[in-house]
Amino acid sequence: MKYKFISDNHTHSQHSFDGKDSVAMLAERALHLGLYSLTVTDHCDCQEYYKENVRKSIEDSVRDVMRAKGMYADRLRVYTGIELGQPTQDMKAAKEALSLGDYDFVLGSLHNLRGEQDFYFLEYDQESSLRLIERYFDELLELARCDCFDSLAHLTYPFRYINAHPEINADVMQFAPQLDAVLETIIKNGKALEVNTSGLRQAIGKTLPDENVVRRFRELGGKYVTIGSDAHRWSDIGAGIEDGLNMLLKCGFTHFTVYSKREPVMLPVI
Ligand SMILES: [Zn+2]
Ligand SMILES: [Zn+2]
């Protein structure tokens, strides 16, 4: 399969607390792979925004991405993005963070419930997992209703950790009504759904969300889908994007979306 426009629209540089490499290294890798575009989406976890150095990291990210835009102008489209984590937990912080750059693209994420740690750090058993997933969908619906992002990132994020426990029975389709409510809300609000390919590199072994959810998004009338590796180091740039595009085709999508100046640009999958 030959894809015309391979784009990675979810990547982290050293300006994310868990990122490793410079924006220039990410761009060099994207160029080497022949990508059509690269969007750098460093973290802003909104409940942490007023902590030391968070704002400076965001400003540093924007500055380096603007520099890369200029440097690679004739060879690679470089877009300025941000991953807004938990914006509904501190809307003032979210608004301030969005004023720090002239953004092309904003991802909306939920990594932790109010008052809880990131799902990455939680302990899981059968009962607690189901309770946490219920709460996840409640808070995700709040996020979906918030008009502060372009694409809803890594829907099904807790399953990345819960499904690493084979003894726990938890499938997203057990939560079909809650899932539909989130998907219907982003569709109504003209937002995109992200296909995050990081799961292909992890124990869960599938994209976040997976094919069943993407198919459901389309059935409900979803139009905009973005795709990103969630790379936190240069060597993961572009990882799994072709698999993700292939999955989009299987779900009936002929186009995917990149964002320039917060406006959707539709690109053919093949
Ligand atoms: Zn994230
Ligand atoms: Zn991310």
Side-chain angles (χ1 to χ4, degrees):
M1 186 75 70
K2 184 87 181 93
Y3 300 101
K4 266 194 236 160
F5 299 104
I6 300 179
S7 297
D8 194 340
N9 301 294
H10 186 156
T11 67
H12 297 275
S13 78
Q14 62 192 5
H15 301 306
S16 287
F17 67 91
D18 50 0
K20 302 270 181 293
D21 299 317
S22 66
V23 169
M25 284 170 79
L26 309 186
E28 282 296 329
R29 179 63 170 174
L31 196 61
H32 175 78
L33 294 172
L35 299 196
Y36 170 80
S37 71
L38 170 75
T39 311
V40 180
T41 52
D42 279 314
H43 285 294
C44 170
D45 283 325
C46 292
Q47 79 280 14
E48 310 266 304
Y49 181 78
Y50 296 104
K51 290 192 179 161
E52 208 181 340
N53 288 331
V54 172
R55 184 188 165 120
K56 182 176 181 305
S57 299
I58 299 168
E59 288 170 335
D60 288 347
S61 173
V62 170
R63 182 202 59 219
D64 286 0
V65 177
M66 294 307 286
R67 195 174 290 163
K69 258 185 210 257
M71 268 175 62
Y72 294 90
D74 52 345
R75 294 171 289 167
L76 172 72
R77 285 164 188 79
V78 180
Y79 293 123
T80 317
I82 186 168
E83 181 176 4
L84 269 189
Q86 303 74 243
T88 58
Q89 293 181 20
D90 192 334
M91 283 306 294
K92 180 168 170 277
K95 281 203 184 89
E96 276 189 43
L98 290 181
S99 73
L100 296 179
D102 185 11
Y103 290 107
D104 290 302
F105 183 48
V106 180
L107 283 168
S109 293
L110 183 58
H111 300 116
N112 63 274
L113 300 169
R114 268 190 195 85
E116 304 274 6
Q117 287 186 293
D118 191 306
F119 285 101
Y120 174 82
F121 295 110
L122 303 185
E123 306 238 338
Y124 298 101
D125 60 28
Q126 182 67 43
E127 203 184 316
S128 69
S129 297
L130 297 182
R131 259 200 323 266
L132 285 165
I133 296 167
E134 290 277 359
R135 289 176 61 198
Y136 171 72
F137 275 112
D138 286 348
E139 208 169 319
L140 197 64
L141 187 57
E142 269 182 62
L143 170 59
R145 287 175 176 146
C146 148
D147 189 29
C148 60
F149 68 93
D150 301 312
S151 184
L152 186 67
H154 49 58
L155 173 57
T156 67
Y157 181 74
F159 291 88
R160 183 198 261 180
Y161 306 111
I162 292 169
N163 289 156
H165 298 264
E167 74 283 7
I168 299 177
N169 171 25
D171 184 275
V172 67
M173 287 306 165
Q174 294 169 263
F175 299 85
Q178 293 97 322
L179 175 67
D180 277 6
V182 169
L183 295 177
E184 282 165 354
T185 301
I186 61 173
I187 292 166
K188 180 165 64 81
N189 293 347
K191 309 295 183 195
L193 178 70
E194 178 193 57
V195 171
N196 186 299
T197 64
S198 66
L200 298 173
R201 312 192 291 277
Q202 296 173 336
I204 189 171
K206 52 189 185 179
T207 57
L208 301 167
D210 69 9
E211 189 173 330
N212 291 330
V213 175
V214 176
R215 204 179 285 281
R216 183 68 183 145
F217 179 63
R218 183 165 158 76
E219 275 170 15
L220 291 170
K223 185 172 167 200
Y224 304 122
V225 181
T226 68
I227 184 160
S229 68
D230 211 347
H232 284 70
R233 55 188 170 202
W234 69 268
S235 51
D236 283 335
I237 294 293
I241 300 293
E242 289 178 86
D243 293 325
L245 290 173
N246 193 29
M247 189 255 271
L248 288 186
L249 279 181
K250 276 169 53 187
C251 294
F253 283 97
T254 57
H255 290 71
F256 70 104
T257 309
V258 301
Y259 281 79
S260 175
K261 303 215 175 292
R262 313 261 340 244
E263 289 294 329
V265 178
M266 304 297 278
L267 295 171
V269 176
I270 48 172

